[in-house]
Amino acid sequence: MGIMATNAMLSLSKFLVSFPFLAIQTVLSSSTDSFVFGGCSQPQYTPNSPFESNLNSLLTSLVNSATYSSYNSYTIMGSTPQDVVYGLYQCRGDLSMPDCATCVARAATRVGSYCPTACGGAVQLQGCYVKYDNATFLGAVDKNVVYKKCGTSVEYAKEDEIVGRRDAVMSGLMSGGGMFRVGGSGEVQGLAQCMGDIGVGECRDCLSEAIGRLKSECGAAAYGDLYLGKCYARFSTVGAWGGVAKRHSPLSFDYFLVNKRRD
């Protein structure tokens, strides 16, 4: 069963968050290391086992790599299939390398404490994402909804203008190139990004799904965020969170996770 908060949803689909969630948290900060969502696998590993050693090596590699690259993935081999660990991280495309490194280090620490002894874990912060698992996921297409948040509706008199500008921004993001895209029209700003382990065509398909769902499911909301397994799209209006939403700045919002347990 799930606990649904108004205008917020977390869909627990294949690993990224096919994991059971046991926490409800609220984000009040616009910091790049603010928590957005996280998940943990049900299979557990034995403490002080070869898997734990490999996991520690993986997380160390991710943190070290983030000092010079905004994305990377690693596979730590083991003596048995049960000891293999796959992992990746990705920073938001506008972060500086020092900010990327700081964010990934905090995400790696967070996933370790959030998912103790879990064979798979994922944490999304405002500025970066870290994921590991015993089962390979690198390069796999995943367009399942992970997290969705829609703000309250804009005032009726401005609805047509805001929706029109939002749709124009979303169209611009869809037609743009690269894995990280930003755009704006008037008081509406948008942001989209694909995971670095998928190709250009897969990125386009993923963003098409994310943007289409964001537009249809958030309606005339003042802001919206929709994360799929391998991409996300977000938009906001000026003043949506009581201040000016600046392009390239973290999109701050209050949200609740949906807790759902799979039997």
Side-chain angles (χ1 to χ4, degrees), residues 245-263:
K246 298 179 181 179
R247 193 181 306 178
H248 296 303
S249 65
L251 303 181
S252 172
F253 52 86
D254 296 338
Y255 73 93
F256 293 93
L257 300 181
V258 173
N259 300 325
K260 179 177 179 181
R261 180 182 298 277
R262 282 191 174 185
D263 296 327

Side-chain angles (χ1 to χ4, degrees), residues 129-194:
Y129 176 71
V130 166
K131 177 179 176 179
Y132 75 89
D133 198 3
N134 175 242
T136 184
F137 61 91
L138 301 175
V141 176
D142 184 357
K143 294 189 288 185
N144 292 302
V145 176
V146 174
Y147 172 82
K148 183 188 76 175
K149 169 67 178 176
C150 300
T152 57
S153 296
V154 299
E155 57 183 287
Y156 182 75
K158 300 183 68 176
E159 184 173 307
D160 289 344
E161 177 190 357
I162 295 298
V163 171
R165 290 188 180 277
R166 181 209 63 192
D167 288 353
V169 171
M170 293 293 104
S171 294
L173 295 179
M174 190 63 233
S175 61
M179 305 298 272
F180 176 73
R181 311 172 186 187
V182 294
S185 175
E187 58 185 308
V188 180
Q189 295 84 39
L191 168 71
Q193 187 169 18
C194 291

Side-chain angles (χ1 to χ4, degrees), residues 62-159:
L62 298 182
V63 171
N64 290 339
S65 177
T67 62
Y68 59 84
S69 178
S70 61
Y71 163 81
N72 215 337
S73 63
Y74 288 89
T75 299
I76 307 298
M77 302 304 295
S79 57
T80 69
Q82 291 73 30
D83 297 330
V84 179
V85 190
Y86 306 89
L88 60 72
Y89 73 89
Q90 177 157 291
C91 291
R92 203 177 63 219
D94 58 337
L95 261 61
S96 66
M97 291 318 307
D99 287 343
C100 175
T102 298
C103 187
V104 172
R106 289 175 176 167
T109 299
R110 189 66 177 265
V111 77
S113 60
Y114 193 77
C115 302
T117 71
C119 290
V123 163
Q124 175 75 58
L125 303 183
Q126 286 280 4
C128 64
Y129 176 71
V130 166
K131 177 179 176 179
Y132 75 89
D133 198 3
N134 175 242
T136 184
F137 61 91
L138 301 175
V141 176
D142 184 357
K143 294 189 288 185
N144 292 302
V145 176
V146 174
Y147 172 82
K148 183 188 76 175
K149 169 67 178 176
C150 300
T152 57
S153 296
V154 299
E155 57 183 287
Y156 182 75
K158 300 183 68 176
E159 184 173 307

